[in-house]
Amino acid sequence: MTVTPEPSTTPEPAETSQLAALRRQREFAAADEAAIDGLLSVRPPERMPRPEPVWDDAPVLVHDIVGERYHWLVLATRTIAATALAGQFLMITVPPKGGERILLPRPMAIHRRHPEQGTVEVVYGVAGRGTTALADVAVGERLLVTGPLGRGFEFPDAALPTATGAQQARTALMIGRGVGVCAVMGSVEDAARLGLKATVVVSGRSRANLIGLADCAELGAEVIPVTDDDGSSRMPALAARLRARFDAGPPDVILVCGAGVLARLAAELGAEWGVPVQVSLEAHMACGLGYCHGCAAPVATDPAVEGPLVCVDGPVFDAAL
Amino acid sequence: MNLAPPDATTDARRAFFDARPASAAAVDLSVRIGGLTLANPVMPASGCFGPSLGRLIPVTELGAVVTKTVFGTPRGGNPAHRLTEIRAGMVNSVGIPSRGAAGYLAQQHPHYQALGVPTIISVGGHRPGEYARVVRDLAGSGVAYELNVSCPNLDRHGADIGSDPDAIREVVRTTRLETDKPLIVKLPVLVSSIADCALAAEEAGADAVCVANSIPALPLERYTRAPALGNVIGGLSGPGIRPIVLRLVWLASRAVQIPVIACGGIETVDDALDYFSVGATAIQVGTASFGRPFAMVEIVRALQDRCLTDGAGDINALIELWRAE
Ligand SMILES: Cc1cc2nc3c(=O)[nH]c(=O)nc-3n(C[C@H](O)[C@H](O)[C@H](O)COP(=O)(O)OP(=O)(O)OC[C@H]3O[C@@H](n4cnc5c(N)ncnc54)[C@H](O)[C@@H]3O)c2cc1C
Ligand SMILES: Cc1cc2nc3c(=O)[nH]c(=O)nc-3n(C[C@H](O)[C@H](O)[C@H](O)COP(=O)(O)O)c2cc1C
Ligand code: FES
């Protein structure tokens, strides 16, 4: 075989602590997978047809660091800004940089939509080669983006202020961890527009790593910040806090993204409170349009028949115990 | 912040759909594959196209479209992760989920027909004898069949059907009895002699060979050495495999009289011309469409434009103009 062996970009981590971090990452992924096992199903057909996806050469208007480890992109892309629904995503093609060629576009949630300005915002963390190269893109360059894609979050009819018999304000609970907050932010925007009261659990490693606090403030959402460093993001602590906050008056819907354990917690709370739960998932993707079949969803189906795809049947699925 | 130009009411996709000059369409890029004439030699690689891509690009500018491989009966596909990217390229182990021939005809073929481009149906089998049955079940749909013989032969402990010239002969001979439409045999990369495989296809009555499928590979995650794919092994594709496939296309073209369709790492018109220069008659684009959905249409347009600016009557003339002494 004449393919050039992959040279390592970074030296082998000499520190055993780095190796331990990688192991933790894998354990986290395994725990995540176990947590959502048997939880998910494809959502029923949406009320409104999905917007037609387009591709665009979107000028980068802003590209800044936010918090300790995230990158914030503002892209000018009028059609996508005007049509994207909450929880939909983009495929971002990373341009060649310094000899680095990235072949597959990277899926990224649409964090904010500004239809009047014709812009969308994306917040991402650097994970591997693709996002490392993306972080090198300068303001003024253009990014090839395809979107809006996928099945997003949707407030169930019963959660809408227009629902018959709606006496008091309807409420929605959003739970996001890390960049998972971005996937639920579109629904926080919708809640503000529709007059729902939104409470957003923003989870992260530390206070400096919480995403979307300013967005929630701007949109008038209540924020419950929880972090790993003080233990407040741990499951029993967070569960107790949410029960204390909502047992007397549960939310009308729970929307989750960013960790399987949070999806399981939400499904448990949803069962206790009798409210629907929607979860946004990640999967490795090539096309984002449903034709490459690369993004199999962890939804149990007949093994002889292909199961749902995250990019078209999701990324948002129903979750129930 | 209101920095987007106020008149930017459109997107790049819409501009790309705008009509091409009549002079471009007048360039004759047509190619023949058996009894079939395609308007131009550019088509997608199997598994790297679906009718949903037709919403992003003017597919009617392509010579043909190729379906994902259809098996006789439904198949599930591999566990996640089904694909990844390493520096050497893309690696996929999708596992070819299929709705079976009947499912394809009922649920997918109508969407292909609606595209308004000739549809070549890719056909798979677990044993050499299965291909003929799938083609029969497809009941004359499609303009041609691409026989994907890069499938493990369950009769032979899983070696690719296409790595054995005798098995290729059996696939083509039995399928030939079921249809008069052109048969294209899509060969694997890992064979002891691509010339022998291509010759076997030609002798048994194939109208063309497609060279080649993705290259078997095993991507590991850095440091932890865990397999990056659920199926452990996948197929490498993308620009990194181009020189490997160029060699195979060159060898196959010298061995057979029937057209050779090149497939492997094509991203631009110059990649396509490289393949034409070593004997390819048509080309397929796979991985490149993911990052640049319009890559195939760009290649067609660039072929037209180059012929016009260089005053070349066809692709062969274009290549001769540039050929080194
Ligand atoms: C619908 C959706 C929305 C997303 N939204 C965001 C977001 O708003 N912000 C953000 O930071 N990240 C988001 N992600 C995850 C993001 O796509 C990955 O972090 C990114 O693809 C990693 O690429 P890489 O080259 O840096 O990593 P590498 O590990 O080098 O990537 C290798 C391959 O695996 C794929 N891959 C690796 N990790 C993931 C992952 N977690 N999800 C999907 N594919 C992965 C890559 O796309 C690439 O094909 C989202 C993923 C999905 C599916
Ligand atoms: C996601 C994916 C799915 C594929 N599925 C099929 C398939 O169903 N049948 C087939 O014959 N080839 C399949 N292939 C192989 C391609 O058709 C092509 O031979 C290969 O990717 C090399 O071309 P490229 O470098 O342009 O991608 C697939 C490739 C990819 C990347
Ligand atoms: S990413 Fe291609 S099918 Fe989902």
Side-chain angles (χ1 to χ4, degrees), chain A residues 292, chain B residues 45-48 68-69 90 92 94 96 148 186 212-214 237-238 241 263-266 285-287 290:
Chain A
C292 80
Chain B
S46 174
C48 304
K68 181 151 187 73
T69 299
M90 170 184 188
N92 91 84
V94 170
I96 318 196
N148 173 8
K186 183 169 177 187
N213 220 299
S214 53
S237 62
I241 74 169
C263 177
I266 297 172
V285 179
T287 304
F290 299 129

Side-chain angles (χ1 to χ4, degrees), chain A residues 6 26 78-79 93 103 117, chain B residues 1 8 11 85 87 221 291:
Chain A
E6 180 170 292
R26 280 199 76 79
R78 202 158 272 281
T79 310
T93 299
L103 305 179
Q117 283 111 350
Chain B
M1 197 182 331
D11 46 79
E85 180 177 345
R87 193 166 270 110
E221 275 174 16

Side-chain angles (χ1 to χ4, degrees), chain A residues 6-10 12-13 26 53 55-56 78-79 93 100-101 103-104 106 117 284 289 293 303-304 306, chain B residues 1 8 11-13 52 55-56 74-76 82-83 85-87 97 221-223 225-226 244 267 290-291:
Chain A
E6 180 170 292
S8 53
T9 35
T10 41
E12 193 93 353
R26 280 199 76 79
W55 52 268
D56 207 357
R78 202 158 272 281
T79 310
T93 299
E100 185 76 312
R101 288 260 350 251
L103 305 179
L104 299 179
R106 298 301 193 251
Q117 283 111 350
H284 291 205
L289 288 161
H293 299 263
E306 185 178 28
Chain B
M1 197 182 331
D11 46 79
R13 164 185 162 274
S52 57
R55 294 150 79 181
L56 295 185
R75 292 171 30 124
R82 286 181 173 181
L83 56 85
E85 180 177 345
I86 55 176
R87 193 166 270 110
E221 275 174 16
R222 240 319 114 83
Y223 311 127
R225 271 100 212 180
I244 299 169
E267 300 181 298
F290 299 129

Side-chain angles (χ1 to χ4, degrees), chain A residues 89 106-109 123-125 127-131 179 282-284, chain B residues 84-85:
Chain A
F89 66 96
R106 298 301 193 251
M108 292 288 165
V123 179
Y124 66 94
R129 285 176 60 235
T131 44
V179 288
E282 288 184 354
H284 291 205
Chain B
T84 192
E85 180 177 345

Side-chain angles (χ1 to χ4, degrees), chain A residues 20-221:
Chain A
L22 279 163
R23 288 227 175 81
R24 267 203 308 279
Q25 224 171 12
R26 280 199 76 79
E27 277 161 22
F28 181 80
D32 229 42
E33 206 177 300
I36 56 166
D37 189 33
L39 217 57
L40 304 173
S41 58
V42 174
R43 307 216 52 233
E46 50 258 86
R47 284 187 294 258
M48 304 265 287
R50 278 182 218 176
E52 190 71 10
V54 302
W55 52 268
D56 207 357
D57 276 318
V60 175
L61 304 183
V62 177
H63 199 176
D64 271 341
I65 306 273
V66 287
E68 282 172 357
R69 48 196 293 271
Y70 296 114
H71 299 255
W72 173 45
L73 270 174
V74 180
L75 303 172
T77 175
R78 202 158 272 281
T79 310
I80 295 173
T83 58
L85 303 175
Q88 286 196 296
F89 66 96
L90 302 173
M91 292 297 274
I92 302 184
T93 299
V94 182
K97 278 280 160 194
E100 185 76 312
R101 288 260 350 251
I102 304 296
L103 305 179
L104 299 179
R106 298 301 193 251
M108 292 288 165
I110 300 170
H111 174 60
R112 296 292 308 267
R113 300 158 291 171
H114 304 288
E116 334 72 44
Q117 283 111 350
T119 62
V120 296
E121 297 179 37
V122 169
V123 179
Y124 66 94
V126 167
R129 285 176 60 235
T131 44
T132 301
L134 181 59
D136 271 349
V137 171
V139 169
E141 286 185 61
R142 285 167 182 266
L143 281 177
L144 174 57
V145 294
T146 303
L149 298 168
R151 173 80 200 264
F153 289 109
E154 225 175 22
F155 294 128
D157 285 332
L160 293 175
T162 49
T164 43
Q167 277 133 22
Q168 76 242 38
R170 300 278 132 179
T171 58
L173 170 61
M174 288 79 167
I175 307 178
R177 177 167 169 91
V179 288
V181 173
C182 304
V184 297
M185 196 55 71
S187 297
V188 182
E189 289 178 336
D190 283 359
R193 195 168 45 79
L194 295 167
L196 274 83
K197 191 172 160 7
T199 302
V200 190
V201 173
V202 178
S203 174
R205 286 190 206 168
S206 64
R207 184 81 200 183
N209 282 312
L210 295 183
I211 289 175
L213 299 182
D215 301 284
C216 289
E218 178 204 322
L219 295 165

